[in-house]
Amino acid sequence: MINFRFALIIVIASALFSFSCSSPHSNRSKGWVQLKLEPLQTNTGWGYEVFAGEKLYIKQDKIPVLEGNQGFKTREQALHAGQIVINKLKKGQAPALDSNDLKKVGVQF
């Protein structure tokens, strides 16, 4: 089960990375659009949305990596996780969170 989840995460991260290579970044002076982070309250806690200009780019309504549909416990955790994703996008990295990122946000396993 863990190997399947890991493989699924790799596939999703690869797809997101491929998409992010041609995706908007946050430097308007070069013709790129601005990335904006918004909190998202769900039935299971908190998530976040990343907008590229006015277009929804990423909707994360549950904690990635964790099994199930658990949201972040607080708005602040969700926003911190979303900011890590935006920072990765700005660096040209895949916008996927891993267990180390979640530890930085305060998610306990």
Side-chain angles (χ1 to χ4, degrees), residues 4 25 27-28 30 39 45 53-54 67 69 86 93 100 105-106:
F4 174 74
H25 294 277
N27 189 342
R28 235 182 232 286
K30 295 182 181 179
E54 298 300 316
E67 207 170 300
N69 293 323
I86 286 178
Q93 299 173 349
N100 288 329
V105 172

Side-chain angles (χ1 to χ4, degrees), residues 3 18 30 50 81 87 106:
N3 287 337
S18 296
K30 295 182 181 179
V50 175
N87 291 342

Side-chain angles (χ1 to χ4, degrees), residues 5-98:
R5 277 190 0 192
F6 182 72
L8 183 60
I9 290 169
I10 295 298
V11 169
I12 291 170
S14 297
L16 289 172
F17 180 73
S18 296
F19 186 66
S20 72
C21 288
S22 61
S23 70
H25 294 277
S26 64
N27 189 342
R28 235 182 232 286
S29 65
K30 295 182 181 179
W32 299 341
V33 298
Q34 185 173 0
L35 298 175
K36 182 174 75 173
L37 178 63
E38 294 288 333
L40 174 67
Q41 190 165 17
T42 70
N43 292 334
T44 62
W46 288 89
Y48 60 87
E49 295 175 325
V50 175
F51 290 85
E54 298 300 316
K55 183 178 177 183
L56 179 62
Y57 185 59
I58 297 172
K59 180 177 182 177
Q60 188 66 54
D61 57 356
K62 57 188 171 201
I63 300 173
V65 181
L66 294 184
E67 207 170 300
N69 293 323
Q70 180 181 350
F72 291 95
K73 288 184 181 181
T74 66
R75 180 180 187 268
E76 290 73 24
Q77 278 185 337
L79 290 174
H80 189 183
Q83 190 59 55
I84 291 172
V85 168
I86 286 178
N87 291 342
K88 287 184 177 192
L89 285 169
K90 288 179 179 179
K91 294 176 184 175
Q93 299 173 349
L97 296 173
D98 58 27

